[in-house]
């Protein structure tokens, strides 16, 4: 069916100190967070454990590090937090600048392939109801403008088309989850009706390398949308719970994380042409976020237990396990890899502090 209309993951909430339990307005249970007294970088006091093939470095961070995005040339990693957007030099693993014109909080980030625009869901400080998407010049750090989504509409996750002409935004606030397609040149918006009133708020998005398909993972379903015609296809029942989705470099496979059955965890590999599960990669804990190398040969899967699996996409086996040190407490930690696949950056949320762990291949 055609699901375009002409109408103009729970969010990454991270608790810093446990107070009374609360339920957010999008229906996801979260722990209330104690606001930090001052804007300071705090070391976790824990030493990341390097694997045999990687060397790790801890980057002390402002509390509540959120999503991580990578520049197209791999020289900069962008890390969102409630006070702004930090710029990490990937060669030295040092913070070299902070943009305070935006407040991503735990909202998702997306960088255009030409490196000229960075899109950020805005969640300043403790405002889980914020509903802006900021457009940023990632070199100058200036806020170029905002994308208005409408009163009461909350962006959940975003994905940018390879040519940068369209920004896909999963939203709540207008009934069931919807996908808004933003023309990035004009900010004109059209809606995708998913036709599923039970699609959970914490869905995630991924675009095929040629931009022809948008994949949506939420609950136990993966949906594929033809971005030209608007035709919607269901790719069957797959891993459920925590949603993260990535597409292979050649577009032939879609990787979906979540719970596989009642007691096991994993990443399911779905053939894009048939929609069938081609393989299941068992994991020791729930995978909260994933990142794909530019050549498509390696998938990095960050887990809730603080470890990152380096997965060979040729045979879907685990090559190595990268440890961030200690036990992580997080919800969909940000994960980004340089285009050459040799440097990885992972945001770690802890009760006492946050950090970003950088890994360099040895």
């Amino acid at each position: 069916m055609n699901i375009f209309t002409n109408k103009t993951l729970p969010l990454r909430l991270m608790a810093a100190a446990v107070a009374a339990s609360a339920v957010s307005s999008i229906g996801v249970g979260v722990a209330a967070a104690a606001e930090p007294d001052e804007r300071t970088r705090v070391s976790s006091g824990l030493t990341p454990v390097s694997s045999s093939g990687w060397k790790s470095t801890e980057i002390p961070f402002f509390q509540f590090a959120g999503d991580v995005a990578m520049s197209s040339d791999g020289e900069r990693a962008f890390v969102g937090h409630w006070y702004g957007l930090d710029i990490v030099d990937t060669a030295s693993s040092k913070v070299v600048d902070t943009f305070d014109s935006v407040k991503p909080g735990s909202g998702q980030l997306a960088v255009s392939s030409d490196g000229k625009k960075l899109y950020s869901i805005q969640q300043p400080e403790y405002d889980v109801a914020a509903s802006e998407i900021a457009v940023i010049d990632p070199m100058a750090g200036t806020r170029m403008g905002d994308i208005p989504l409408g009163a009461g509409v909350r962006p959940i996750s975003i994905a940018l088309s390879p040519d940068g002409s369209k920004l896909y935004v999963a939203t709540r606030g207008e009934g069931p989850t919807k996908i808004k397609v933003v023309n990035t040149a004009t900010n004109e918006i059209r809606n995708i009706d998913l036709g599923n009133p039970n699609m959970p708020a914490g869905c995630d998005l991924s675009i095929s390398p040629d931009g022809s398909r948008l994949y949506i993972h939420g609950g136990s379903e993966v949906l594929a949308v033809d971005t030209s015609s608007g035709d919607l296809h269901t790719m069957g029942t797959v891993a459920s719970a925590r949603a993260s989705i990535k597409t292979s470099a050649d577009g032939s496979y879609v990787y979906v994380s979540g719970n596989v059955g009642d007691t096991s965890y994993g990443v399911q590999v779905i053939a894009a042409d048939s929609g069938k599960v081609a393989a299941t990669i068992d994991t020791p804990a729930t995978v909260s976020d994933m990142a794909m190398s530019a050549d498509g040969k390696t998938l990095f899967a960050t887990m809730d237990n603080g470890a990152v699996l380096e997965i060979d996409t040729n045979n879907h086996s685990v090559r190595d396990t990268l440890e961030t040190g200690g036990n992580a407490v997080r919800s969909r930690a940000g994960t980004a890899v340089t285009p050459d696949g040799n440097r990885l950056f992972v945001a770690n949320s802890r009760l006492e502090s946050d950090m970003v762990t950088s890994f360099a291949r040895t």
Side-chain angles (χ1 to χ4, degrees):
M1 64 176 175
N2 188 288
I3 42 67
F4 283 135
T5 62
N6 294 321
K7 296 179 182 178
T8 300
L9 3 117
L11 292 171
R12 301 181 182 192
L13 302 173
M14 301 182 184
V18 177
S21 295
V23 177
S24 77
S25 56
I26 60 174
V28 179
V30 297
E35 188 167 352
D37 293 333
E38 58 183 8
R39 182 177 170 180
T40 357
R41 296 185 185 278
V42 181
S43 174
S44 69
L46 296 169
T47 303
V49 180
S50 301
S51 71
S52 58
W54 297 81
K55 178 183 178 181
S56 61
T57 303
E58 177 185 318
I59 307 172
F61 221 75
F62 297 139
Q63 290 186 341
F64 312 110
D67 198 15
V68 184
M70 187 63 59
S71 64
S72 55
D73 59 10
E75 294 181 359
R76 289 178 158 200
F78 304 95
V79 185
H81 52 81
W82 283 341
Y83 302 110
L85 186 73
D86 274 15
I87 315 305
V88 176
D89 175 73
T90 58
S92 65
S93 294
K94 295 184 182 298
V95 175
V96 295
D97 203 353
T98 298
F99 300 158
D100 57 10
S101 61
V102 290
K103 301 292 188 292
S106 56
Q108 277 191 335
L109 307 172
V111 185
S112 62
S113 58
D114 62 7
K116 294 181 179 180
K117 289 183 179 180
L118 185 149
Y119 297 87
S120 167
I121 293 177
Q122 294 297 282
Q123 189 194 340
E125 297 189 7
Y126 300 86
D127 184 3
V128 298
S131 59
E132 298 175 311
I133 293 182
V135 186
I136 304 145
D137 180 333
M139 297 305 294
T142 55
R143 189 163 177 164
M144 303 167 67
D146 296 316
I147 298 174
L149 299 176
V153 178
R154 297 179 203 144
I156 302 164
S157 56
I158 57 177
L160 190 61
S161 63
D163 64 2
S165 65
K166 297 181 182 68
L167 182 71
Y168 298 89
V169 187
T171 65
R172 294 287 283 181
E174 300 174 297
T177 299
K178 286 184 173 60
I179 306 296
K180 293 185 179 294
V181 186
V182 181
N183 181 317
T184 57
T186 65
N187 280 358
E188 180 183 355
I189 296 174
R190 56 178 175 172
N191 291 335
I192 296 178
D193 183 359
L194 300 180
N196 181 359
N198 299 316
M199 176 67 73
C203 67
D204 198 19
L205 307 177
S206 183
I207 298 280
S208 62
D210 62 2
S212 65
R213 280 189 173 189
L214 171 71
Y215 295 101
I216 307 160
H217 178 209
S220 59
E221 284 188 335
V222 171
L223 304 178
V225 178
D226 185 310
T227 57
S228 177
S229 68
D231 289 340
L232 176 69
H233 306 279
T234 300
M235 298 180 70
T237 301
V238 293
S240 61
R242 193 75 56 78
S244 183
I245 185 168
K246 288 291 179 287
T247 311
S248 64
D250 61 3
S252 59
Y253 291 105
V254 180
Y255 296 83
V256 180
S257 71
N259 293 349
V260 183
D262 294 332
T263 59
S264 57
Y265 315 101
V267 175
Q268 289 185 320
V269 186
I270 305 171
D273 55 354
S274 67
K276 295 181 179 179
V277 176
T280 297
I281 305 165
D282 292 329
T283 63
T286 300
V287 173
S288 58
D289 198 18
M290 297 185 291
M292 181 75 71
S293 63
D295 62 9
K297 294 180 179 180
T298 306
L299 177 72
F300 296 94
T302 301
M303 299 182 294
D304 283 349
N305 64 0
V308 183
L309 300 179
E310 180 190 5
I311 298 170
D312 186 332
T313 58
N314 181 51
N315 55 21
H316 304 134
S317 64
V318 176
R319 287 197 203 114
D320 206 346
T321 300
L322 289 63
E323 299 287 351
T324 60
N327 294 318
V329 180
R330 66 165 72 89
S331 175
R332 271 176 66 177
T335 307
V337 61
T338 54
D340 61 8
N342 290 330
R343 291 182 181 272
L344 179 72
F345 294 81
V346 181
N348 308 154
S349 177
R350 305 179 188 279
L351 288 178
E352 70 277 11
S353 67
D354 277 21
M355 67 180 185
V356 171
T357 303
S358 71
F359 294 92
R361 198 183 295 275
T362 57

